[in-house]
Amino acid sequence: MFLFTFHFPCPEQLRLPAPPRWIPSSRRGGGSGGAGGSGAARCRCRCRCQCRYRFRCVPAARSAGRAMGPGPGLAAALLALLLPVLASARGPGAAACEVSPSGRFDCGPERLLSRAGCEARGCCYSPGPGPRSGPGPPWCFFPRGYRSYRAENLTATESGFSARLRRQAAAFLPAAVDELRLELALETPARLRFTLRDAARPRYEVPLATPRVHGRASSTLYGLQVSQEPFGLVVCRQSSGRVLLNTTVAPLIFTDQFLQISTSLPSHFISGLGERLTPLFLDTAWTRVTLWNRDMAPAPHVNLYGSHPFYLVMEDDGSAHGVFLLNSNAMDVLLQPSPALTWRTTGGILDFYIFLGPDPKSVVRQYLDVVGFPFMPPYWGLGFHLCRWGYSSTDITRQVVANMTAARFPLDVQWNDLDYADAKRDFTFNKKSFGDYPEMVRDFHSLGLRYIMIVDAGISSSGPPGTYKPYDEGLRRGVFIRNATGQPLVGKVWPGPTVFPDFTNPETHEWWHDMVKDFHDRVPFDGMWLDMNEPSNFVEGSQDGCPNNNLEHPPYVPGVFGGRLQAGTICASSQQYLSSHYNLHSLYGLSEAVASHSALLRVRGKRPFIISRSTFAGHGRYAGHWTGDVGSDWQQLYYSIPEVLLFNLFGVPLVGADICGFLGDTSEELCVRWTQLGAFYPFMRNHNDHGTRPQEPFAFSPPAQAAMRNALRLRYSLLPFLYTLFHRAHSAGQTVARPLFLEFPTDPNTWAVDRQLLWGGGLLVTPVLEAGQTKVSGYFPAGTWYSLAGDSTIHSKGQWILLPAPLDTINVHVRAGHILPLQEPAFSTAQSRGKGMALLAALTPDGFARGELFWDDGDSWETFERGDYTELLFLASNDAVLSQLLRASAHLDGVLLEAVTVLGVTSPPRRVLANGAIIRDFAYRSDTQVLRVPVSLPMWEQFVISWS
């Protein structure tokens, strides 16, 4: 029964307590979409909010934006919310069960129900043609108006509103929470937060630092309604009245270990909810996405290494909004074709952020305002990385580096997998095969290279006391996760019996720092590769099994691979400093990344460089990610693009897949195409499994090597542009690798494009993703696009174009209106950073382009925050390219601008000047309309290059 609705605010605000303008029932329209149906009625009052039920809109006062204290104004405003609306509260009649199959919400989430069992819950039963347990409409589903909670005592607060929710009917899952506390916080004009907590006792909440907001936004992009019974929220976009969130479509369920809330969706174009092997946009035809971090080689339809409970929806007019559930428990997210979405989580609270955008770029930035902007990687971290499980000695590792140099391939970072470790134990090295390990790393440094080694999460526990310091010290300091008896839980990973550090314990951070420092004092490594940190476990739960309790066997188990929470990991009931592993499991990789980031910063005094397999929301503040044990096949090559794009939306821009694949033998053609695409991963590393075909660039035929060398040199020439993109990500919450829809949201043709990617807004990459192809089709949004080489121009109306793509070519196009800073490539960034720079200016048809360069020493901590950097703005017109020095430092001293290329110069120049001096050896091609100007100008000074 709907007894009140509340809307704050509406496009045309009225001053409360002025009475609302009612529309008689006979004029209120259909609104017959049903529970989750696609039909949508407009609330016909001056606040134009769309809804799926016959809500009565109560316009909020202009003064409602101010914190409401006690007084007659507030009393009148809240009394105006108590509006009687008739609704049936009885069991499901025939009319209540008339719900379209696409809009049915499952009444038996934990098990299949018979007709009798279904109707005993007060639900509707309608057998369908498909299997009961497969994807498709549920046979047992909620009727309209199913009773759950009733909202009472709506009260204005400093930040928004609060209410009490009382359960009105028996729950069908154990330990139902009878009374909830609702908090609605109008945090910013584009961000709404609402939480549902147990009103009687505290529950676990994710220990993620989020913004603390005092007061409420005085005006908002969103409107809000609260339905009293059954309780529900409706959030609509003020400008259009479009409903973005409508939780009245299905009942709220809140028990100790099962929390469920559903919402309608305004469109089928929903992206996010990782980590999952998926196209860029999810399928809303009864798709289940499970979030519970798992050591699992990427495959469709299973939970993988990370959990990111955030989604972004594209709306019909190109607007976008996002939703983030701050919850780390095992969960399912179910999508259905009405369209609608259901969150099912196994613990914690319901803590939602809604981001109004209104464009997708703004949604991502608003999400990152909550979880944190990405860390700034060191410049060398953007170079080429090389690794293999199977470099079994320092001699072999040294030879790999020598082979790369001899074959004239760039290389910045050499890695080792577990081969280096003594008995595969962290913070050790094999004194036989890696006897000169410290000297090898120092020798790499003398060549201008960096070095990174793998660090697994499990700590070996099988050695005699006094023989392995990380275990002995950790045991003494109490830093390991404990089992039900209070003893360290023992699992099994690569070294054999292992224990697992509890990174939620502050003492563990100190112990971890000490272990990192001790090892760094012996082996001066430059970064850390965090693996097996879901955490992975080769036995289920522990070597002693797991207790038989409700944490190991909850009433509802999401669709985790293996069917049990402890499958492939440690016991859910094991205890950590902050809570049970049941609550904290998916935070393990993030908490290890936080500890490692802090340890590296303290030990090295420079920017930490960390790549981690396991991730959670906010991971990008501390580390990057590689996409795990991908197979060496063409399908995985394709899937790497949406994976990279999604992690950029999640705020983890430093991401890439293992180039040429990790599992299985690659082929020469596949490795060439993967290297060409990998040159445009933000994080570029070639890595493969032991026992498989060698896939270092020098291991292939001369033509293949030439193609790979060209791809690597192209990347190195673009590093100043890439580094500037990372600065914008770190300082402004932007993406680095970018899906097309982020730049072109009003072009629906871009929304599902996930076989191409952008760097920033100006560089479009169209790779070949299939075997035997020498042509590739790419979508070019409306505008002018120049090939990066300047030999062709596309004037697109928004169309697919077939491009030539021989094996030695990857198609890269520059968008008109952009200026890219380039640098002469070298064999490492240590060499390239001192070489000459160039500018590539791509003019729009009306003669404009813009670009920027961020430059610092590439390694020091918080150079931007301390103001120790140089920033240049580049502008171009029909007759000039110039620079403006926005901030100066000494870091560009000695670097010269040696060439300027201008694309789209329509008339042949007769004279070219550089800072007023005549340039006689410029070149212009009328067929391609490209002007090339050789110069020698200090990058640290402003310049003007003009032509007439």
Side-chain angles (χ1 to χ4, degrees):
M1 183 167 62
F2 298 109
L3 291 186
F4 69 76
T5 62
F6 183 83
H7 187 89
F8 178 90
C10 288
E12 296 179 59
Q13 299 179 24
L14 301 177
R15 294 183 181 276
L16 285 179
R21 297 178 58 187
W22 302 118
I23 301 297
S25 296
S26 61
R27 293 174 53 200
R28 262 187 246 136
S32 59
S38 59
R42 287 192 180 275
C43 302
R44 298 185 61 187
C45 64
R46 292 185 67 186
C47 52
R48 297 176 298 116
C49 42
Q50 195 178 33
C51 58
R52 296 186 182 276
Y53 290 94
R54 293 176 182 172
F55 289 108
R56 291 182 176 178
C57 298
V58 179
R62 191 179 306 273
S63 60
R66 300 188 290 270
M68 291 186 180
L74 173 61
L78 295 179
L79 283 173
L81 304 179
L82 302 176
L83 309 172
V85 179
L86 296 178
S88 172
R90 302 192 191 96
C97 290
E98 290 178 359
V99 180
S100 66
S102 68
R104 295 175 180 173
F105 293 85
D106 194 355
C107 185
E110 84 287 12
R111 59 188 174 93
L112 294 175
L113 296 173
S114 65
R115 179 183 294 274
C118 176
E119 292 177 349
R121 293 184 174 186
C123 291
C124 308
Y125 192 83
S126 177
R132 293 180 63 191
S133 59
W139 291 15
C140 179
F141 56 93
F142 291 109
R144 296 193 188 95
Y146 190 91
R147 299 187 72 195
S148 57
Y149 286 88
R150 170 188 174 92
E152 301 174 350
N153 302 324
L154 181 71
T155 306
T157 65
E158 179 189 7
S159 60
F161 303 91
S162 67
R164 293 281 175 145
L165 308 185
R166 297 187 187 277
R167 189 160 58 87
Q168 298 300 299
F172 52 78
L173 286 170
V177 177
D178 292 332
E179 187 173 326
L180 303 175
R181 185 174 79 255
L182 167 69
E183 298 286 345
L184 290 159
L186 286 58
E187 293 194 338
T188 73
R191 186 175 81 224
L192 169 69
R193 183 184 188 183
F194 75 88
T195 57
L196 287 163
R197 294 179 171 91
D198 188 333
R201 64 183 182 91
R203 293 173 59 85
Y204 163 76
E205 298 187 21
V206 179
L208 185 70
T210 57
R212 291 291 174 258
V213 178
H214 301 286
R216 68 169 79 177
S218 58
S219 63
T220 63
L221 299 179
Y222 46 86
L224 174 66
Q225 294 179 314
V226 181
S227 169
Q228 187 178 32
E229 186 177 7
F231 163 75
L233 293 175
V234 178
V235 179
C236 61
R237 187 179 295 284
Q238 289 257 45
S239 60
S240 64
R242 180 179 296 110
V243 168
L244 309 181
L245 190 84
N246 179 4
T247 74
T248 68
V249 295
L252 166 69
I253 301 174
F254 201 120
T255 71
D256 186 41
Q257 291 182 270
F258 182 80
L259 292 72
Q260 175 171 298
I261 191 168
S262 302
T263 178
S264 62
L265 296 171
S267 97
H268 291 272
F269 287 94
I270 176 172
S271 186
L273 301 174
E275 182 176 6
R276 181 178 170 87
L277 199 69
T278 177
L280 183 58
F281 278 85
L282 295 164
D283 185 358
T284 57
W286 304 107
T287 294
R288 176 170 67 178
V289 178
T290 300
L291 303 184
W292 177 252
N293 293 8
R294 179 66 154 87
D295 175 359
M296 179 69 194
H301 316 303
V302 295
N303 51 305
L304 299 180
Y305 310 108
S307 293
H308 295 267
F310 163 75
Y311 68 77
L312 182 151
V313 173
M314 291 301 299
E315 302 162 30
D316 292 345
D317 62 355
S319 300
H321 71 276
V323 175
F324 171 45
L325 171 58
L326 182 51
N327 183 292
S328 61
N329 289 85
M331 71 173 71
D332 281 334
V333 187
L334 294 96
L335 298 167
Q336 61 192 71
S338 45
L341 177 148
T342 296
W343 299 90
R344 292 178 183 163
T345 184
T346 55
I349 67 168
L350 295 178
D351 187 354
F352 284 99
Y353 289 86
I354 297 97
F355 310 105
L356 268 285
D359 58 88
K361 279 187 190 176
S362 298
V363 171
V364 174
R365 185 172 61 252
Q366 290 155 12
Y367 171 60
L368 298 188
D369 283 336
V370 172
V371 301
F373 287 3
F375 82 106
M376 185 68 185
Y379 196 92
W380 55 262
L382 305 184
F384 181 59
H385 301 243
L386 184 59
C387 186
R388 177 171 188 166
W389 188 7
Y391 294 155
S392 55
S393 68
T394 54
D395 289 344
I396 291 175
T397 309
R398 288 177 185 270
Q399 188 61 53
V400 167
V401 172
N403 291 345
M404 289 290 289
T405 302
R408 302 184 65 79
F409 284 104
L411 177 65
D412 257 274
V413 191
Q414 182 60 48
W415 298 45
N416 275 116
D417 208 312
L418 267 180
D419 309 274
Y420 78 92
D422 179 24
K424 300 179 180 177
R425 298 178 301 172
D426 287 346
F427 307 117
T428 68
F429 63 91
N430 189 309
K431 297 301 193 296
K432 295 181 179 179
S433 55
F434 280 78
D436 63 339
Y437 187 46
E439 291 77 14
M440 181 190 76
V441 174
R442 293 188 181 95
D443 289 345
F444 288 166
H445 288 167
S446 70
L447 298 173
L449 303 182
R450 309 287 176 153
Y451 178 80
I452 292 174
M453 75 286 163
I454 197 169
V455 179
D456 283 345
I459 298 294
S460 175
S461 61
S462 58
T467 62
Y468 181 45
K469 183 177 180 180
Y471 176 68
D472 295 336
E473 274 291 293
L475 198 63
R476 182 182 69 81
R477 296 163 72 168
V479 304
F480 300 124
I481 294 175
R482 293 168 286 110
N483 61 21
T485 68
Q487 299 302 308
L489 179 142
V490 180
K492 183 179 181 181
V493 199
W494 296 116
T498 52
V499 291
F500 300 87
D502 174 9
F503 291 104
T504 70
N505 185 344
E507 181 60 28
T508 307
H509 286 229
E510 293 303 312
W511 164 83
W512 191 247
H513 162 265
D514 294 346
M515 298 305 105
V516 169
K517 183 178 186 303
D518 284 352
F519 194 63
H520 191 271
D521 287 345
R522 290 178 287 156
V523 183
F525 59 89
D526 299 287
M528 296 175 70
W529 171 19
L530 306 180
D531 195 11
M532 309 294 287
N533 56 342
E534 291 72 32
S536 179
N537 188 3
F538 295 164
V539 296
E540 188 166 295
S542 80
Q543 289 194 332
D544 301 318
C546 298
N548 183 14
N549 57 35
N550 63 346
L551 295 184
E552 304 297 339
H553 306 285
Y556 176 82
V557 179
V560 297
F561 184 78
R564 297 168 300 281
L565 296 185
Q566 65 267 40
T569 189
I570 65 177
C571 298
S573 59
S574 56
Q575 292 301 304
Q576 298 188 229
Y577 179 81
L578 287 182
S579 187
S580 65
H581 193 71
Y582 179 88
N583 293 323
L584 296 168
H585 168 83
S586 289
L587 298 177
Y588 194 89
L590 171 62
S591 61
E592 185 189 24
V594 172
S596 302
H597 187 276
S598 173
L600 276 180
L601 180 60
R602 291 166 63 185
V603 168
R604 296 181 69 247
K606 299 178 180 179
R607 279 180 226 168
F609 185 90
I610 298 164
I611 296 294
S612 171
R613 191 169 74 178
S614 177
T615 64
F616 187 77
H619 180 88
R621 294 178 63 182
Y622 306 99
H625 172 63
W626 98 102
T627 62
D629 297 342
V630 298
S632 298
D633 59 66
W634 293 91
Q635 182 188 50
Q636 294 278 359
L637 174 64
Y638 152 66
Y639 274 122
S640 73
I641 298 179
E643 180 94 341
V644 164
L645 297 178
L646 285 168
F647 268 86
N648 272 264
L649 300 184
F650 298 150
V652 189
L654 189 69
V655 58
D658 284 342
I659 290 169
C660 305
F662 175 76
L663 295 173
D665 288 334
T666 192
S667 68
E668 182 166 284
E669 181 190 9
L670 175 62
C671 203
V672 168
R673 293 303 193 189
W674 211 320
T675 302
Q676 289 170 343
L677 173 59
F680 292 91
Y681 292 157
F683 167 59
M684 185 185 189
R685 184 184 70 162
N686 181 319
H687 174 51
N688 68 323
D689 201 357
H690 63 85
T692 58
R693 172 182 178 174
Q695 62 186 40
E696 298 88 354
F698 57 75
F700 296 96
S701 69
Q705 288 190 40
M708 295 180 186
R709 191 178 297 109
N710 288 341
L712 283 164
R713 287 179 60 82
L714 177 59
R715 179 187 180 87
Y716 272 69
S717 70
L718 288 164
L719 285 182
F721 175 56
L722 179 61
Y723 191 64
T724 301
L725 292 177
F726 268 100
H727 164 67
R728 297 299 298 165
H730 172 66
S731 63
Q734 296 182 6
T735 53
V736 174
R738 193 170 297 177
L740 271 67
F741 78 82
L742 225 63
E743 283 293 318
F744 304 94
T746 59
D747 180 356
N749 294 321
T750 66
W751 295 0
V753 173
D754 59 6
R755 301 175 75 87
Q756 297 168 272
L757 59 88
L758 288 162
W759 266 12
L763 201 66
L764 177 62
V765 182
T766 307
V768 173
L769 303 174
E770 297 174 356
Q773 299 299 310
T774 57
K775 295 181 180 179
V776 63
S777 181
Y779 185 76
F780 286 78
T784 300
W785 300 84
Y786 303 94
S787 68
L788 186 61
D791 54 4
S792 65
T793 303
I794 294 172
H795 300 287
S796 176
K797 298 178 181 179
Q799 62 203 84
W800 291 89
I801 295 176
L802 189 63
L803 305 168
L807 188 59
D808 62 353
T809 299
I810 182 170
N811 280 278
V812 184
H813 288 81
V814 185
R815 182 182 175 190
H818 290 260
I819 300 177
L820 308 185
L822 311 174
Q823 193 163 33
E824 182 184 346
F827 296 119
S828 71
T829 57
Q831 298 174 22
S832 68
R833 280 178 58 88
K835 288 187 173 291
M837 284 194 169
L839 293 180
L840 179 66
L843 296 179
T844 60
D846 57 355
F848 174 78
R850 183 186 186 279
E852 58 187 2
L853 172 67
F854 175 86
W855 201 257
D856 57 12
D857 69 6
D859 210 12
S860 295
W861 175 245
E862 291 189 338
T863 57
F864 172 68
E865 290 77 3
R866 293 185 286 106
D868 185 19
Y869 62 93
T870 296
E871 188 170 16
L872 296 174
L873 173 66
F874 306 113
L875 297 171
S877 65
N878 275 323
D879 58 4
V881 175
L882 59 85
S883 72
Q884 293 182 5
L885 193 60
L886 302 182
R887 187 174 191 91
S889 70
H891 298 303
L892 266 177
D893 289 0
V895 178
L896 298 177
L897 178 67
E898 295 183 345
V900 174
T901 300
V902 187
L903 310 178
V905 179
T906 56
S907 301
R910 291 179 298 166
R911 186 172 69 163
V912 177
L913 304 176
N915 288 345
I918 296 176
I919 303 295
R920 301 190 183 279
D921 55 347
F922 70 90
Y924 176 77
R925 286 186 55 177
S926 57
D927 58 339
T928 58
Q929 299 185 336
V930 175
L931 170 65
R932 302 183 190 276
V933 183
V935 293
S936 182
L937 300 173
M939 284 292 294
W940 62 94
E941 295 179 0
Q942 298 188 158
F943 59 81
V944 177
I945 297 167
S946 59
W947 57 92
S948 61

